[in-house]
Amino acid sequence: MGDADAEKVLAPLRLHVKEQGDIVRGLKESGATTIDIERAVAELKARKRQLLNKENELVAKEDFPRQQMEDTLKRRFFYGQAFELYGGVSGLYDFGPVGCMLKNNIISEWKQHFILHDQMLEIECTMLTPEPVLRASGHIERFADLMVKDEKTGACFRADHLLEGHIEKLMQDKKVGLDVKEKCKTVLQQLDNYGKEELGTLMREFEVKSPVTGNEISDPMDFNLMFQTTIGPGNAMPGYLRPETAQGIFLNFKRLLEFNQGKLPFSAVQIGMSFRNEISPRSGLIRVREFQMGEIEHFVDPLRKEHPLFSTVKDIKVPLYSSKAQLNGEAPSVRTLGSAVEDGTIDNETLGYFMGRIYLFCVKVGIDPFKFRFRQHMQNEMAHYACDCWDAECKTSYGWVECVGCADRSCYDLKCHSQAAKVNLSAERPLPEPVQRDVVSLSCNKQAVGKAFKKDAKKVQAHLEGLSEEEIVNLETEMTANSVYVYTHSDGGKFNVLPGMVAVKRTKKTFQVEEFMPSVIEPSFGFGRLLYSTLEHNFKIRAADEQRTFFSLPAVIAPYKCSLLPLSNKPDFNPFITSLSLALKKLGISHKVDTSSGSIGKRYARTDEIAVPFGITVDFDTVKIEPHTATLRERDSLVQIRATVEEIPQIVYDLVQENTTWEEVMKKYSVFEEQINK
């Protein structure tokens, strides 16, 4: 279905969303009750979901040969299900030689594009994370989905997905009455709004059973998506495999700031594996339990969010699906980043700069710009601490898939860890002139603290000396009122601090600088999703032969840059293959030599299926005619040129490095038709 036809189908649904958006705005402006606003917002979310479902349904109807692509990926071992010999484990995948090279090339280009270009600071942190870290970040409390269990077998299912699948089957069942189908339709529209109790009620009402055995299922329960473990023997230190790479950067902020000589802004970055124990992973590489991420944390003064390089991206036009457009039921609009920052659609220059760099990177690694958009988070889906958040989404046969998140997280993460660890994670900015201020400080009577708390004295003292000025004032107030200050330690211990154990002092101090908690702009990349999207966007079928498939991946990320094919296995061909291979190695060009006995057409087809962009063929003319020449074939056009064996490696290098184009090469060298000697 074309874009124009799709818009005709979506237009009434967009209008439906706009009408409800106007109602929500009207209620807020008129000061309506909270319950009325929440009810209207829930209906708005339901209508948005209906619009999104229809968009994804139209995408699914587009005639993309996913099965044919997946057959190619499996046959050429790009990746495959892990532990297949033992039946496989859903959500876990092994990458083969071609898949590893492709993923590594994407990451290598990512490093060039972001780390080297913006002089970012790369770190590598452990995947094992102690529980207190993730408790402070909020992951222990909030990182969960609702799950149900098969009462007999114990098999687990994600509750909302199970209900959704069951209702969709009912709606397709001709025996089900219209009144039930209408009820089903309403439930699907509201699915995102249901809590634990409501989902349980609906599952009982619709008699949802285990999809595998038909057994009864349990009531929905919270399931934390992190993999839990213990660090060291016994249960002394509970921990988790990290669900993201960002927390390691926040914990090392103080060291990074010192490394950067105390100056802001700066960017820190980490590439590594993350783990999420998905209840029922599906959609291949789109939703997995173990995946590689690349996360950038750009620390910036919250009062100075302009970016010195914004001018380099401000004129780039990108598809923006703003929260306002979503609220009004409008389609995404193509705009320059400069105009979007200027009118406040994008919150600030730094966020706009990274969005521009994200777009350029995605296009460079093969994402189709016509299947790409930035979607802004709605106010009701954005974290309470975030200033602005955009997802870079790619259109695939699974629908629109979030591949990159780009958020202004304000100072939330640093503040959480600073409070939990009692460590100052602020930065400093110079004041225009010195300022004198009142300072509140606290000192401990070590002898009294030691006598009262004995083995716990050190942690009590550390807690007291780590209190902020505001917390010291609160302690003083509580102690004055109750003659005791009571605090509960993170390990659950409760301690009573008496007046003689601490002394609060007030002094005046002259300051040349002021402290502040930096804001963080966070671009977060899921490399598996990017890899899958670029494979879909570049999967092609030869017009002359539907059985011949290939990937038109850009040369910069192609696993092998070049193939080396002798037309014959006669000994005379070997010196040329050897010398060409050595020349390619010296230039750092990955290449694949195929000396198998198959026809040259079949060997070309094999290299096309693993996305090799260029192919050198040593034929009989190479051996028999001086100066010695060989042919160079371009994968997408199938056009070949002829050049000397000394020139060809450099031509391939220049093409891969984008120093030249295939069109320029064809102008310089004669197009090959057929060899003289056969």
Side-chain angles (χ1 to χ4, degrees):
M1 182 179 287
D3 289 344
D5 292 331
E7 277 305 311
K8 286 180 183 178
V9 176
L10 296 173
L13 296 175
R14 294 194 193 282
L15 180 61
H16 205 44
V17 172
K18 182 184 184 305
E19 289 169 351
Q20 189 62 24
D22 291 339
I23 291 171
V24 171
R25 270 194 295 266
L27 288 171
K28 288 181 177 179
E29 289 169 2
S30 65
T33 63
T34 302
I35 192 166
D36 285 341
I37 293 173
E38 287 178 350
R39 191 180 293 120
V41 168
E43 176 60 23
L44 175 62
K45 288 173 71 177
R47 295 186 184 192
K48 271 193 64 194
R49 181 182 176 83
Q50 189 179 14
L51 174 60
L52 179 62
N53 286 344
K54 180 56 70 173
E55 284 182 332
N56 288 338
E57 182 185 326
L58 293 175
V59 169
K61 286 182 178 177
E62 292 180 8
D63 193 20
F64 178 77
R66 189 201 296 164
Q67 188 58 54
Q68 197 170 359
M69 184 191 80
E70 289 180 350
D71 289 343
T72 303
L73 293 173
K74 188 174 183 179
R75 184 170 62 254
R76 297 304 174 200
F77 194 17
F78 277 74
Y79 59 86
Q81 192 171 40
F83 312 109
E84 196 171 41
L85 292 182
Y86 290 86
V89 178
S90 60
L92 297 176
Y93 290 89
D94 294 331
F95 284 84
V98 179
C100 281
M101 294 175 78
L102 174 58
K103 182 156 69 82
N104 290 339
N105 288 347
I106 290 174
I107 292 172
S108 176
E109 187 56 36
W110 190 88
K111 287 184 175 183
Q112 292 280 341
H113 188 85
F114 290 102
I115 299 178
L116 293 182
H117 183 274
D118 287 83
Q119 296 182 306
M120 296 177 177
L121 308 178
E122 185 177 5
I123 66 171
E124 184 177 323
C125 304
T126 66
M127 289 179 276
L128 279 172
T129 309
E131 185 180 63
V133 173
L134 295 167
R135 189 172 296 284
S137 67
H139 284 84
I140 299 251
E141 182 183 352
R142 295 190 297 270
F143 205 67
D145 280 337
L146 291 173
M147 175 184 77
V148 294
K149 282 187 176 182
D150 184 312
E151 294 280 28
K152 292 184 178 178
T153 67
C156 299
F157 309 95
R158 184 164 154 175
D160 57 342
H161 288 175
L162 186 58
L163 179 60
E164 182 180 25
H166 181 78
I167 286 177
E168 285 174 348
K169 284 183 180 178
L170 287 179
M171 292 180 71
Q172 294 169 7
D173 191 340
K174 294 178 181 178
K175 297 177 183 177
V176 174
L178 288 175
D179 56 334
V180 176
K181 288 187 177 181
E182 280 301 314
K183 170 74 172 175
C184 289
K185 187 176 178 182
T186 303
V187 170
L188 281 179
Q189 290 172 2
Q190 299 277 359
L191 196 57
D192 285 343
N193 302 323
Y194 297 131
K196 189 191 302 184
E197 289 75 19
E198 292 166 309
L199 274 176
T201 301
L202 287 166
M203 288 182 144
R204 286 188 292 273
E205 180 182 340
F206 286 101
E207 298 180 345
V208 180
K209 302 287 192 289
S210 167
V212 180
T213 63
N215 295 331
E216 296 292 328
I217 55 172
S218 68
D219 288 332
M221 63 190 81
D222 287 316
F223 176 74
N224 193 288
L225 297 177
M226 294 188 293
F227 285 96
Q228 189 168 13
T229 184
T230 53
I231 302 172
N235 298 313
M237 186 181 292
Y240 296 85
L241 292 175
R242 65 186 179 194
E244 61 181 24
T245 59
Q247 297 306 315
I249 299 175
F250 298 132
L251 297 181
N252 282 287
F253 168 73
K254 197 170 182 179
R255 292 171 173 169
L256 289 164
L257 183 64
E258 288 172 1
F259 182 85
N260 206 48
Q261 300 174 325
K263 295 177 183 177
L264 287 181
F266 71 85
S267 295
V269 60
Q270 182 170 196
I271 298 168
M273 301 303 295
S274 295
F275 306 85
R276 297 183 185 179
N277 197 9
E278 297 284 352
I279 297 167
S280 49
R282 53 188 182 178
S283 306
L285 293 183
I286 303 299
R287 188 168 293 279
V288 292
R289 288 175 165 141
E290 177 182 314
F291 51 96
Q292 197 156 13
M293 299 182 74
E295 292 192 286
I296 299 167
E297 308 300 331
H298 182 80
F299 298 97
V300 62
D301 187 330
L303 302 180
R304 299 168 186 168
K305 290 185 179 177
E306 63 276 0
H307 198 286
L309 296 178
F310 181 64
S311 59
T312 63
V313 301
K314 70 181 180 67
D315 294 326
I316 296 174
K317 290 184 176 181
V318 296
L320 296 176
Y321 198 15
S322 68
S323 59
K324 183 180 178 182
Q326 294 171 66
L327 194 63
N328 291 335
E330 298 169 359
S333 59
V334 177
R335 302 183 54 192
T336 64
L337 290 166
S339 67
V341 170
E342 190 176 342
D343 68 13
T345 301
I346 297 172
D347 187 72
N348 56 74
E349 278 191 7
T350 299
L351 190 61
Y353 171 74
F354 279 109
M355 288 171 67
R357 295 295 295 166
I358 288 166
Y359 174 78
L360 292 173
F361 172 74
C362 288
V363 172
K364 190 167 189 178
V365 298
I367 297 298
D368 185 343
F370 295 104
K371 295 180 179 179
F372 176 95
R373 71 183 184 191
F374 283 108
R375 187 187 71 81
Q376 188 176 31
H377 283 207
M378 300 282 285
Q379 201 63 42
N380 57 14
E381 64 176 312
M382 194 156 55
H384 63 88
Y385 52 79
C387 300
D388 197 7
C389 185
W390 295 79
D391 289 339
E393 297 182 331
C394 297
K395 188 179 181 182
T396 72
S397 58
Y398 291 107
W400 285 98
V401 173
E402 175 200 345
C403 292
V404 188
C406 192
D408 184 337
R409 297 175 62 91
S410 68
C411 62
Y412 174 78
D413 300 278
L414 289 178
K415 190 174 180 181
C416 285
H417 289 302
S418 181
Q419 290 174 346
K422 303 298 180 186
V423 175
N424 185 1
L425 296 179
S426 61
E428 295 178 344
R429 69 168 74 93
L431 291 167
E433 54 186 45
V435 173
Q436 216 177 44
R437 291 180 185 153
D438 292 328
V439 176
V440 181
S441 61
L442 178 147
S443 60
C444 288
N445 182 334
K446 294 182 181 179
Q447 187 175 358
V449 170
K451 187 176 180 180
F453 302 115
K454 296 182 173 58
K455 63 182 177 63
D456 294 318
K458 282 189 177 180
K459 68 180 179 185
V460 172
Q461 185 178 331
H463 168 80
L464 293 170
E465 292 178 346
L467 294 176
S468 66
E469 286 195 38
E470 183 182 352
E471 290 169 327
I472 293 171
V473 172
N474 291 339
L475 174 148
E476 187 180 38
T477 303
E478 185 179 334
M479 203 169 270
T480 302
N482 306 320
S483 298
V484 65
Y485 165 71
V486 181
Y487 96 92
T488 303
H489 198 267
S490 58
D491 62 8
K494 189 172 284 188
F495 303 96
N496 296 329
V497 181
L498 302 176
M501 298 178 185
V502 294
V504 176
K505 298 178 183 177
R506 284 177 167 78
T507 56
K508 286 193 177 293
K509 190 175 179 181
T510 300
F511 290 89
Q512 307 282 348
V513 296
E514 64 177 344
E515 290 187 344
F516 66 94
M517 200 69 77
S519 284
V520 175
I521 311 291
E522 180 191 70
S524 177
F525 294 74
F527 290 121
R529 289 185 174 191
L530 267 175
L531 184 149
Y532 179 81
S533 297
T534 199
L535 285 172
E536 262 209 21
H537 291 187
N538 290 278
F539 181 69
K540 303 286 191 297
I541 299 173
R542 298 286 183 202
D545 185 352
E546 290 187 358
Q547 297 305 309
R548 287 191 62 179
T549 61
F550 69 102
F551 291 97
S552 60
L553 296 175
V556 71
I557 65 162
Y560 295 101
K561 313 303 183 190
C562 180
S563 60
L564 198 47
L565 311 173
L567 205 58
S568 168
N569 283 328
K570 290 182 178 180
D572 292 350
F573 286 72
N574 293 340
F576 296 99
I577 295 296
T578 301
S579 64
L580 283 165
S581 181
L582 285 172
L584 291 169
K585 287 175 184 177
K586 285 181 181 178
L587 291 169
I589 298 171
S590 60
H591 59 283
K592 184 174 178 61
V593 179
D594 186 352
T595 58
S596 61
S597 58
S599 70
I600 192 66
K602 286 184 178 179
R603 284 188 280 165
Y604 282 149
R606 281 201 295 266
T607 59
D608 290 347
E609 284 191 331
I610 58 173
V612 181
F614 306 107
I616 301 171
T617 305
V618 175
D619 58 18
F620 288 96
D621 286 354
T622 308
V623 176
K624 295 181 179 180
I625 299 177
E626 293 187 9
H628 300 293
T629 61
T631 67
L632 181 64
R633 171 185 179 267
E634 196 270 335
R635 174 198 60 212
D636 296 351
S637 66
L638 303 179
V639 173
Q640 297 184 60
I641 60 97
R642 193 162 199 107
T644 66
V645 292
E646 290 78 21
E647 290 175 299
I648 281 183
Q650 187 63 45
I651 296 171
V652 174
Y653 177 83
D654 289 338
L655 286 166
V656 171
Q657 296 297 318
E658 299 180 338
N659 298 329
T660 188
T661 64
W662 183 246
E663 287 70 25
E664 290 170 346
V665 170
M666 285 193 297
K667 288 176 184 176
K668 186 175 179 181
Y669 298 93
S670 59
V671 174
F672 170 71
E673 298 294 342
E674 63 175 344
Q675 60 180 333
I676 297 170
N677 297 280
K678 296 183 181 180

